[in-house]
Amino acid sequence: MSIFGEVPQAAPVAVFKLTADFREDQNPSKVNLGVGAYRTDEGQPWVLPVVRKVEKMIADDHSLNHEYLPILGLPEFRSSASKIALGEDSPAIKDNRVGAVQCLGGTGALKIGAEFLRRWYNGTDNTKTPIYVSAPTWENHNAVFSNAGFEDIRPYKYWDAGKRGLDLEGFLGDLESAPDHSIFVLHACAHNPTGTDPTQDQWKQIADVMKRKSLFAFFDSAYQGFASGNLDKDAWAVRYFVSQGFELFCAQSFSKNFGLYNERVGNLTVVAKDQDNLNRVLSQMEKIVRITWSNPPSQGARLVAITLNTPELFKLELRKLLKAKNRVIGFKSETKQVEYLVKEKHIYLMASGRINMCGLTTKNIDYVAESIHEAVTTV
Amino acid sequence: MQMNSEFRERQPIGVKNLSVHGHTTWLPLVRKIKQQISTDPTLITEYPHILGIPEFTRRATQLALGKDSPAIVESRVFGIQTVGCTGAVCLGAELLRSCYCSSSSWSGPILLSSPCDDSLAGTFKAAGIEDVQYYRYWDAESNGVCVENMVHDLENAPEQCVVVLFASGHRPTGAELSQEDWKRVAEVMKRQLFAFFLMSAQGLCSGSLEQDAWPVRHCVSLGLELLCAQSFSHNFGLYGERVGHLLCVLKQNLLAVQSQAEKLVQTLWSCPPMEGARVVATVLSNPAHLVDWQESVKAVAERCMLIRERLRERLRLLGGPWQWDHIIKPGGLYCCFGLNTQQVDFLVQKKHIYLLPNGCLNVSAINSRNLDYVAESIHQALIRTKVI
């Protein structure tokens, strides 16, 4: 008898299962619109030229070693990553009240932020503090916060299916009715999965309510540079909140905008009221990191740090973002239609209807468009 | 880590840091493979499997259990690539909390060795396993492991208790059990205790990959279910790349447990970092690289043994009533000198020799340039604080 004899089979993680099914599919017309990874027009994953360049530099640099990074991560990476989020001239950075923790991708940044908040946000036991995530949201948000010990995870209205846009009234309503000091997970830009973001004016209204009710802003920034092609524009919401005096967290991922999915490059930017508060927060985060993964991996962070701190390489990166036009858009569809597309037409997309525009190429766009038309009109 | 920042600030002449785990030697083989990887146009940067690179987990499993392990042959084992050994322990702890003993919220008891790394208890507690207890391991009287005490404590442990065992390279003492001792421990484990092995430096302790993994393989041969957290930081010099592996040997229900592990990985790091695991997989799956690597590992192990012998010899020549045979008994990086807090303090403050308060140190940080200084300083520390 095994001591694990009673363990139930968990459902597979949807997005990865989709890709696995797609890989096994032998049909020559198959298309994968499901996963959130950039594709070239040939339908291939793209290793950015600047990434290749810097990888070679790192491999040939004999002064580099494989020593453990500090627990909080590579210092050059952390500071340049935070600058990307908050801007070179951020007054908060100048005031020395911005710090960061290098994490294992965006997931890792959310994890460390969540673990910290559960322990220290509002008193020393926040298991009952409400966490609000958008309806809909990235499928993993719930699991990360729940696993960090939060027991009360609630949706806030976001997507209006009827008018196929932001439900601002519902959003503001949920902000108003939330208990003070609740934590809100906000998508900095390119909302996942709908692709719809509040306008600057709408963000101002959201910030107003959050300030008044002392709601905590936990930004999830996985697509900076991909919403508009411009890093600064995509960071407007985070920067606005900082300018309004919010203390906040921003979980950044460099998976998409550097194509470094598999090196797990993330950064948790922390904005505090002053340096003293910041230092104490970072010291507690260090303790949490120590018992989770001890130190973060160096390869990806080195790559990003070198790129961000070398002007010619940084220009290459910016140009690439402009070209990429990676938007994750949603089209709300019926489950039956999604099933039809997957099973009959071998077009793989998420059950939520999320499609990755980069899965489309000049070769398959007609096939996909026709198939979607069929699904929507006949199923 | 506070130790490291103090060390960096001082920078006096003749300084040495004996508490940093990690000699900075890198393997030429590793650099060669990293260069190959960086110029390989076919390698993609996609999200890897949640559980890691399949070739890596396959090879890491074979390395730990042996290619012909009954568990592998009978498909009763799966492996998960993790973020270093800490990541493997973290994931193992989460898995136990959510799956062990038909409980969805198992909270212990778990038994750790006394002493052990500070962060170990913290990792289990953070995962919700609150009931952390200790079994006696290091015996200050004999400067080694007292297996009688250990077996006694295990025999009196609550049923279904999880026990953390060090396959080789115990942190922080370096002290080891003989194979005969392990057989006794395994017999006790068979009676309703669950083994969670830590194997952080396979190959570096005895110079033999098989010998260092023997305790794990023995338990598997007895039909025990177990977890094993492996690290490739030390034996590949890939500290910064965070290459770890969690091995799960079960009797049944493999796919269900694997699926639960996948769910947990999603909440920790989604999927593990590639670079380091790619290097390890490349080496382990290529016969020529494998031989190259085994030789490097053996060389490191032999160097550590040589340093221990030389240190013992120096200390013996410096005189005094103290015995130093216990330095050469174990292999690998760590050694417990049995120094007390006063003596450690003297070494840090007066001699600029940095080591952890528990008096344990990393022998690989001793070399031909600093051996005399270290030996003399230890001798002085003992003389100055001698109880009359």
Side-chain angles (χ1 to χ4, degrees):
Chain A
M1 234 328 259
S2 170
I3 43 164
F4 295 107
E6 306 287 308
V7 174
Q9 179 83 24
V13 178
V15 68
F16 292 105
K17 171 92 175 39
L18 197 71
T19 299
D21 289 345
F22 169 79
R23 280 208 193 106
E24 277 175 28
D25 191 332
Q26 300 301 316
N27 188 295
S29 305
K30 65 179 179 178
V31 185
N32 189 356
L33 300 179
V35 78
Y38 181 76
R39 287 284 182 277
T40 63
D41 199 55
E42 286 74 40
Q44 292 303 313
W46 187 25
V47 179
L48 283 64
V50 68
V51 166
R52 274 264 175 256
K53 214 176 174 153
V54 179
E55 268 176 344
K56 285 206 200 93
M57 276 167 59
I58 290 174
D60 290 337
D61 185 346
H62 287 243
S63 73
L64 289 176
N65 59 39
H66 290 288
E67 280 299 283
Y68 289 122
L69 286 184
I71 297 178
L72 294 181
L74 192 67
E76 314 84 272
F77 166 76
R78 292 156 55 206
S79 57
S80 49
S82 292
K83 281 201 185 114
I84 287 290
L86 304 182
E88 272 285 340
D89 304 317
S90 168
I93 294 182
K94 293 207 166 77
D95 288 343
N96 292 316
R97 54 191 189 88
V98 173
V101 182
Q102 180 192 336
C103 295
L104 276 279
T107 302
L110 287 165
K111 165 76 174 168
I112 298 303
E115 291 281 350
F116 173 86
L117 290 171
R118 197 212 69 222
R119 287 163 170 77
W120 301 110
Y121 166 55
N122 192 16
T124 51
D125 178 6
N126 287 270
T127 46
K128 311 263 186 275
T129 303
I131 302 270
Y132 282 82
V133 297
S134 65
T137 193
W138 181 46
E139 60 179 20
N140 204 20
H141 274 148
N142 258 288
V144 170
F145 283 92
S146 150
N147 193 271
F150 287 98
E151 294 168 4
D152 186 359
I153 303 176
R154 313 175 182 184
Y156 60 85
K157 294 188 196 61
Y158 191 85
W159 176 252
D160 184 331
K163 67 173 208 204
R164 304 184 86 70
L166 181 73
D167 176 6
L168 181 68
E169 213 180 288
F171 191 168
L172 293 173
D174 282 346
L175 287 169
E176 288 286 1
S177 62
D180 285 5
H181 304 289
S182 297
I183 297 167
F184 272 73
V185 179
L186 306 169
H187 296 235
C189 68
H191 179 270
N192 183 356
T194 68
T196 297
D197 297 327
T199 61
Q200 287 184 7
D201 224 44
Q202 290 170 332
W203 272 122
K204 285 182 180 164
Q205 295 180 59
I206 292 162
D208 266 343
V209 183
M210 290 189 70
K211 203 193 244 184
R212 210 183 345 108
K213 295 181 57 71
S214 305
L215 302 173
F216 186 82
F218 195 153
F219 278 97
D220 183 349
S221 176
Y223 297 97
Q224 188 181 0
F226 275 116
S228 66
N230 181 294
L231 287 168
D232 294 313
K233 213 159 161 232
D234 285 356
W236 188 88
V238 182
R239 297 177 191 187
Y240 176 73
F241 272 66
V242 171
S243 74
Q244 294 299 298
F246 280 85
E247 291 181 293
L248 56 80
F249 290 171
C250 181
Q252 303 167 262
S253 165
F254 290 86
S255 292
K256 282 72 159 165
N257 53 16
F258 266 78
L260 284 175
Y261 309 96
N262 62 17
E263 299 300 348
R264 318 307 298 120
V265 195
N267 194 50
L268 178 68
T269 289
V270 176
V271 181
K273 202 135 238 123
D274 54 46
Q275 189 172 38
D276 178 54
N277 277 293
L278 175 74
N279 289 341
R280 279 181 281 109
V281 169
L282 290 179
S283 75
Q284 291 299 339
M285 286 184 172
E286 208 180 74
K287 285 184 74 164
I288 297 168
V289 170
R290 173 70 173 142
I291 55 171
T292 313
W293 53 65
S294 202
N295 330 71
S298 54
Q299 180 71 1
R302 268 198 185 129
L303 233 139
V304 172
I306 292 174
T307 307
L308 295 182
N309 290 312
T310 314
E312 320 81 71
L313 294 175
F314 189 35
K315 275 202 215 102
L316 270 176
E317 162 71 9
L318 288 177
R319 246 183 273 145
K320 177 272 297 178
L321 278 173
L322 263 172
K323 272 202 224 159
K325 291 199 188 74
N326 184 351
R327 289 184 332 277
V328 178
I329 69 161
F331 78 104
K332 260 311 184 187
S333 59
E334 301 295 320
T335 325
K336 282 204 215 79
Q337 292 165 346
V338 172
E339 258 177 41
Y340 175 79
L341 285 169
V342 176
K343 293 212 171 77
E344 304 302 326
K345 309 302 284 186
H346 307 279
I347 293 173
Y348 290 78
L349 69 165
M350 298 296 290
S352 61
R354 182 188 87 167
I355 68 171
N356 178 351
M357 294 300 282
C358 290
L360 297 175
T361 69
T362 49
K363 295 173 198 58
N364 66 25
I365 193 160
D366 288 338
Y367 175 69
V368 171
E370 278 157 22
S371 306
I372 291 178
H373 181 78
E374 259 179 59
V376 168
T377 52
T378 65
V379 176
Chain B
M1 292 296 160
Q2 187 212 336
M3 184 120 318
N4 277 341
S5 57
E6 272 179 32
F7 169 76
R8 267 187 233 115
E9 273 158 29
R10 293 206 184 190
Q11 296 297 318
I13 306 163
V15 74
K16 49 226 93 248
N17 188 340
L18 294 174
S19 69
V20 170
H21 31 225
H23 43 93
T24 54
T25 317
W26 42 265
L27 306 177
L29 175 64
V30 166
R31 178 174 294 288
K32 190 170 88 178
I33 288 175
K34 284 193 117 196
Q35 277 166 336
Q36 278 173 15
I37 287 174
S38 72
T39 50
D40 184 345
T42 66
L43 285 178
I44 58 174
T45 56
E46 282 298 283
Y47 282 117
H49 292 237
I50 298 173
L51 301 183
I53 307 178
E55 187 60 17
F56 168 78
T57 58
R58 198 162 77 90
R59 298 294 177 178
T61 301
Q62 283 174 356
L63 189 68
L65 302 184
K67 265 202 179 115
D68 305 319
S69 170
I72 296 181
V73 169
E74 292 158 24
S75 302
R76 292 190 291 109
V77 59
F78 71 90
I80 306 167
Q81 182 190 334
T82 59
V83 186
C85 198
T86 302
V89 176
C90 178
L91 180 61
E94 298 268 345
L95 198 58
L96 287 169
R97 191 217 54 237
S98 60
C99 292
Y100 187 57
C101 284
S102 316
S103 170
S104 57
S105 191
W106 182 76
S107 61
I110 188 160
L111 246 54
L112 308 182
S113 69
S114 167
C116 70
D117 206 79
D118 285 341
S119 60
L120 211 49
T123 305
F124 285 106
K125 287 190 175 153
I129 301 173
E130 290 295 335
D131 189 0
V132 175
Q133 301 174 25
Y134 295 86
Y135 60 86
R136 286 168 296 170
Y137 189 78
W138 174 256
D139 177 52
E141 291 287 314
S142 60
N143 277 322
V145 184
C146 177
V147 75
E148 298 305 330
N149 287 344
M150 181 177 170
V151 166
H152 176 268
D153 290 350
L154 294 185
E155 275 170 345
N156 290 295
E159 262 188 25
Q160 311 288 2
C161 191
V162 172
V163 183
V164 175
L165 300 166
F166 289 79
S168 47
H170 179 263
R171 287 241 333 244
T173 68
E176 285 174 349
L177 298 172
S178 66
Q179 285 187 5
E180 286 312 306
D181 291 339
W182 274 116
K183 285 180 180 163
R184 285 180 68 187
V185 167
E187 278 309 306
V188 181
M189 296 298 297
K190 261 168 93 169
R191 308 171 215 156
Q192 308 286 340
L193 297 176
F194 182 84
F196 191 154
F197 276 100
L198 300 194
M199 189 157 62
S200 61
Q202 188 183 358
L204 289 193
C205 302
S206 66
S208 155
L209 295 163
E210 292 75 22
Q211 197 174 321
D212 283 358
W214 191 88
V216 183
R217 299 183 185 191
H218 178 67
C219 285
V220 170
S221 73
L222 295 180
L224 294 176
E225 291 183 304
L226 54 85
L227 293 177
C228 179
Q230 300 163 260
S231 167
F232 293 88
S233 289
H234 299 292
N235 54 16
F236 267 83
L238 284 172
Y239 301 93
E241 310 300 345
R242 317 305 297 122
V243 193
H245 189 247
L246 180 69
L247 194 64
C248 308
V249 179
L250 304 171
K251 283 189 185 134
Q252 57 185 118
N253 212 12
L254 197 86
L255 290 177
V257 179
Q258 194 172 359
S259 69
Q260 294 297 336
E262 260 187 41
K263 265 179 84 169
L264 290 165
V265 170
Q266 279 287 91
T267 66
L268 293 173
W269 51 69
S270 249
C271 41
M274 284 288 91
E275 173 84 1
R278 255 196 196 132
V279 172
V280 174
T282 305
V283 170
L284 296 183
S285 55
N286 176 309
H289 289 331
L290 191 57
V291 168
D292 202 335
W293 176 61
Q294 280 174 309
E295 279 168 12
S296 302
V297 163
K298 194 148 173 268
V300 168
E302 281 169 356
R303 179 176 164 257
C304 288
M305 286 178 208
L306 194 61
I307 293 171
R308 289 169 186 269
E309 277 179 20
R310 291 222 170 116
L311 188 59
R312 178 185 70 153
E313 197 46 29
R314 276 307 280 130
L315 287 166
R316 192 184 67 77
L317 288 172
L318 286 166
W322 307 285
Q323 288 300 317
W324 299 111
D325 286 344
H326 63 279
I327 300 179
I328 61 159
K329 259 180 66 185
L333 300 173
Y334 301 109
C335 196
C336 190
F337 266 65
L339 300 171
N340 63 33
T341 344
Q342 262 184 301
Q343 291 157 347
V344 171
D345 215 46
F346 169 77
L347 287 173
V348 177
Q349 301 297 336
K350 302 289 179 207
K351 307 301 286 183
H352 310 284
I353 294 176
Y354 293 79
L355 66 168
L356 290 168
N358 55 24
C360 298
L361 53 90
N362 174 351
V363 299
S364 72
I366 299 173
N367 53 48
S368 53
R369 292 175 300 290
N370 61 30
L371 176 72
D372 286 343
Y373 181 67
V374 170
E376 279 153 21
S377 305
I378 292 177
H379 183 77
Q380 279 172 35
L382 289 165
I383 299 225
R384 286 170 66 94
T385 56
K386 197 163 155 185
V387 175
I388 297 164

